[in-house]
Amino acid sequence: MRTQVAIIGAGPSGLLLGQLLTRAGIDNVILERHTPEYVLGRIRAGVLEQGAVEMLDEAGVGARLHAEGLVHGGIDIAWAGQRHRVDLHGLTGKSVVVYGQTEVTKDLMDARKASGALSVYEAEDVSLHGFDGAQPAVRYRNGGQAREIECDFIAGCDGFHGVSRQSVPAGAIRNYERVYPFGWLGLLSDTPPVSPELIYVLHERGFALCSMRSHTRSRYYLQCSLAEQVEQWPDERFWAELRLRLDPRAAADLVTGPSIEKSIAPLRSFVAEPLRFGRLFLAGDAAHIVPPTGAKGLNLAASDVRYLFDGLVEHFRNGRSSGLDAYSERALARIWKAERFSWWMTMLLHRFPDHGPFGEKIQRAELEYLFSSHAAQTALAENYVGLPY
């Protein structure tokens, strides 16, 4: 098989890149090691920056997003029993849209199927070859058959544990990582959200987040120990603990119900440098991970795709390489700003076991400054709604 761009991974970054390339007349094939059902079953965050929304519109998949997505012009930060609203729209003129990553993935899958572009699911033993030369190739097994795709470029969009980054020689890449000493216990339920906007909570018992997927489906998170298991958290215990961490008004308004899904996710900050290795480019979670506190994971994947897509279009239409040559530097500049913001939000709103009384006093001083400073709130809002691409 021969194609122009082989895309490894059928998550949002791979599907978005594939959809944009297809609409631009650039041939591409997507390889995914899991089934479509498995990909759609992954529960992820869903706060979209304006830039990500515009890219989905450009890809022709924005109709359901605009019909069902929830536009939020602010967030609440709760601390010491009181809620403080950060007016995102008033401070920046921009808003965010709450629309689940599962829904984004489904819209992109449907569009790809309608376009007739090829996606190979359950691609096993994927290996990347020749990307440091003029003729890259991707080998894999599917349906018991060994297969090979020759291509001009490879886009590694296969996540943190994927084969793309692992295919790079160790001496050619540098990884930067911080693993946080706690996780997020998440619960999804068909209950109305406790508030029309997200509530971030710092409490002496730990962080909490009240989020949503729609007017009838809520997503809640609790900071927990990584030593704990989901089985230790029956619904009744989760709801009781969440209510303890909320401010009085939210605790009174909270509607509980059976969980649809429950899981514990570790938190880490991670960046790989560089993002280009000959004719192989890394994008999305294959290149970076952010703690979810800043709502940046899916949005960073979208900006990676923006830079990579523009470079590929320039190459195939005009024969120029400046966009591809600049991809790593441009993407990393935005990635590190988002990493800093996500780290700051995580440090601000979580209880760290090694912080002690001094660390708690620093958190208090930081929050008091944030709530009393227009400049500090503006900086938070500008980062939350997304820096320009």
Side-chain angles (χ1 to χ4, degrees):
M1 191 188 304
R2 180 78 174 80
T3 191
Q4 291 173 292
V5 182
I7 301 171
I8 315 301
S13 57
L15 287 167
L16 179 57
L17 178 60
Q19 178 66 6
L20 290 167
L21 290 172
T22 298
R23 287 169 68 89
I26 298 171
D27 191 41
N28 63 93
V29 175
I30 296 179
L31 299 181
E32 167 60 50
R33 65 190 180 105
H34 295 295
T35 65
E37 293 75 21
Y38 179 92
V39 173
L40 284 173
R42 294 184 292 211
I43 303 297
R44 296 289 188 272
V47 176
L48 301 179
E49 299 170 358
Q50 182 174 312
V53 172
E54 291 171 353
M55 285 197 66
L56 292 168
D57 285 338
E58 184 180 344
V61 296
R64 198 160 68 95
L65 161 63
H66 289 289
E68 301 178 13
L70 307 178
V71 178
H72 284 193
I75 60 171
D76 282 338
I77 297 178
W79 168 65
Q82 295 186 334
R83 252 192 271 173
H84 306 262
R85 185 172 187 266
V86 180
D87 185 358
L88 302 176
H89 189 269
L91 292 165
T92 69
K94 299 178 181 179
S95 302
V96 294
V97 179
V98 174
Y99 188 67
Q101 182 171 315
T102 300
E103 306 308 316
V104 172
T105 304
K106 184 179 186 302
D107 294 342
L108 287 165
M109 279 184 171
D110 290 346
R112 187 164 183 86
K113 184 177 181 180
S115 74
L118 178 61
S119 296
V120 180
Y121 289 91
E122 298 181 87
E124 302 175 334
D125 301 327
V126 174
S127 58
L128 314 186
H129 304 271
F131 55 81
D132 55 348
Q135 188 56 71
V138 180
R139 296 173 188 155
Y140 65 100
R141 297 185 63 83
N142 182 250
Q145 299 274 333
R147 304 181 188 275
E148 180 173 299
I149 301 174
E150 293 181 351
C151 54
D152 296 307
F153 298 102
I154 302 172
C157 305
D158 50 344
F160 183 75
H161 299 288
V163 70
S164 296
R165 192 180 69 252
Q166 296 174 17
S167 300
V168 176
I173 192 169
R174 184 170 182 182
N175 298 326
Y176 301 85
E177 184 173 30
R178 173 166 187 181
V179 177
Y180 296 89
F182 43 74
W184 277 17
L185 170 64
L187 179 145
L188 190 69
S189 63
D190 278 332
T191 54
V194 70
S195 172
E197 296 179 334
L198 274 65
I199 306 175
Y200 289 82
V201 182
L202 172 63
H203 190 274
E204 62 183 10
R205 300 178 67 89
F207 169 84
L209 173 61
C210 302
S211 184
M212 66 208 67
R213 294 295 176 267
S214 69
H215 291 299
T216 59
R217 177 165 289 185
S218 299
R219 182 70 164 167
Y220 296 102
Y221 298 94
L222 294 173
Q223 178 183 346
C224 67
S225 167
L226 288 171
E228 295 186 89
Q229 304 294 320
V230 171
E231 292 73 24
Q232 297 173 268
W233 284 90
D235 290 357
E236 294 77 11
R237 182 188 175 193
F238 182 97
W239 292 120
E241 181 62 32
L242 176 61
R243 188 170 268 119
L244 286 173
R245 300 187 192 187
L246 297 180
D247 64 276
R249 178 159 57 98
D253 291 343
L254 180 66
V255 177
T256 66
S259 62
I260 301 171
E261 186 271 348
K262 204 186 301 173
S263 57
I264 294 177
L267 270 64
R268 63 159 43 91
S269 299
F270 172 86
V271 181
E273 290 191 3
L275 303 182
R276 179 182 184 177
F277 308 89
R279 290 177 173 264
L280 167 64
F281 298 85
L282 302 181
D285 286 359
H288 46 74
I289 298 288
V290 288
T293 328
K296 291 290 166 248
L298 180 56
N299 294 296
L300 272 185
S303 61
D304 291 349
V305 169
R306 169 84 278 160
Y307 301 139
L308 183 53
F309 169 68
D310 288 347
L312 290 167
V313 168
E314 180 189 53
H315 170 84
F316 286 114
R317 287 185 178 171
N318 304 317
R320 296 200 299 265
S321 64
S322 57
L324 293 178
D325 292 341
Y327 168 72
S328 183
E329 182 178 357
R330 291 183 69 196
L332 283 167
R334 195 173 194 276
I335 288 163
W336 277 113
K337 291 181 177 70
E339 291 280 354
R340 184 211 66 82
F341 176 67
S342 300
W343 166 85
W344 178 78
M345 286 280 285
T346 304
M347 298 293 289
L348 180 69
L349 297 172
H350 290 76
R351 289 300 189 197
F352 283 76
D354 59 345
H355 272 190
F358 179 83
E360 292 175 11
K361 286 287 190 180
I362 291 295
Q363 274 185 318
R364 180 188 183 96
E366 186 78 8
L367 285 161
E368 288 175 346
Y369 170 68
L370 173 64
F371 299 142
S372 64
S373 168
H374 182 270
Q377 291 183 40
T378 300
L380 187 158
E382 288 176 344
N383 281 274
Y384 197 91
V385 301
L387 299 173
Y389 285 7

